[in-house]
Amino acid sequence: GIDYAFIDQTLAWLIREQQWAFASDLLERAREEWSTLNDSQKSQVLNREASLFLQDSLRDEATAALEESIGLDPSNAEALLQLAEVYAEDNLYIQAEIMFERATAYDLVQQRASLGLAQLAIDQFDYPRALTLLREISAQNPERFDLRENIQILENLVTARQN
């Protein structure tokens, strides 16, 4: 058997460090042990695999892996967030919003999911909604000084649209 926790932590680190070849080799090793993994572990392997697919611009494969990942573990916050981001990049706003909304339920990715929802609102010219979301994120995360400038810009846009 394999030490799944070690493999998963190592994969996460390799992906963060953009060590794609090593990550790919380690994913192959995890795939060899597929039958010994539980659904949550399989979900995480698919999520890591999707990261490699995206790196190689294999969007359809990444989407399929993420959808399967969430099917195996509907509470895989990272997969929910990553699928939301893929949908958003593909201008699939409704699907993206659903996944971002689901991801906001998990502390691990809550802030990033909320920022994703705000970006979706901006992409669809819904500045009042984006402003509301950014104000909420800023209130929950006062250390995020970087949001203040974005809030100011959106306040100006909303005011300009009202006049």
Side-chain angles (χ1 to χ4, degrees), residues 5-154:
F6 173 76
I7 285 190
D8 185 58
Q9 289 171 351
T10 305
L11 270 172
W13 179 79
L14 288 170
I15 290 167
R16 266 195 315 275
E17 296 296 316
Q18 301 183 356
Q19 297 293 319
W20 307 113
F22 291 119
S24 181
D25 291 346
L26 195 53
L27 266 171
E28 259 180 58
R29 179 82 175 95
R31 277 288 193 180
E32 289 167 9
E33 303 290 331
W34 192 253
S35 62
T36 69
L37 302 178
N38 65 38
D39 283 353
S40 178
Q41 292 169 332
K42 288 176 181 175
S43 172
Q44 202 52 35
V45 168
L46 286 162
N47 184 42
R48 307 286 186 223
E49 204 167 62
S51 296
L52 266 69
F53 286 142
L54 289 171
Q55 175 58 29
D56 292 337
S57 301
L58 301 170
R59 299 188 69 73
D60 292 344
E61 292 85 343
T63 301
L66 289 165
E67 288 171 347
E68 185 181 349
S69 171
I70 293 164
L72 287 165
D73 181 2
S75 67
N76 185 332
E78 290 179 29
L80 288 167
L81 182 66
Q82 190 161 220
L83 184 57
E85 291 168 346
V86 169
Y87 283 156
E89 289 168 15
D90 291 342
N91 300 322
L92 299 171
Y93 295 125
I94 293 168
Q95 295 95 316
E97 185 166 350
I98 291 166
M99 291 301 143
F100 279 130
E101 286 288 356
R102 286 178 58 185
T104 61
Y106 302 96
D107 289 343
L108 177 69
V109 297
Q110 197 269 329
Q111 185 182 118
R112 287 168 45 212
S114 294
L115 286 167
L117 284 170
Q119 186 59 55
L120 269 186
I122 291 167
D123 292 347
Q124 296 173 86
F125 307 102
D126 187 350
Y127 301 129
R129 179 152 193 268
L131 183 56
T132 300
L133 287 162
L134 283 182
R135 283 178 176 153
E136 287 171 7
I137 299 164
S138 183
Q140 294 164 357
N141 306 278
E143 74 283 358
R144 291 289 310 261
F145 297 110
D146 58 310
L147 295 178
R148 292 184 186 159
E149 184 180 346
N150 294 343
I151 289 169
Q152 187 66 54
I153 292 167
L154 284 169

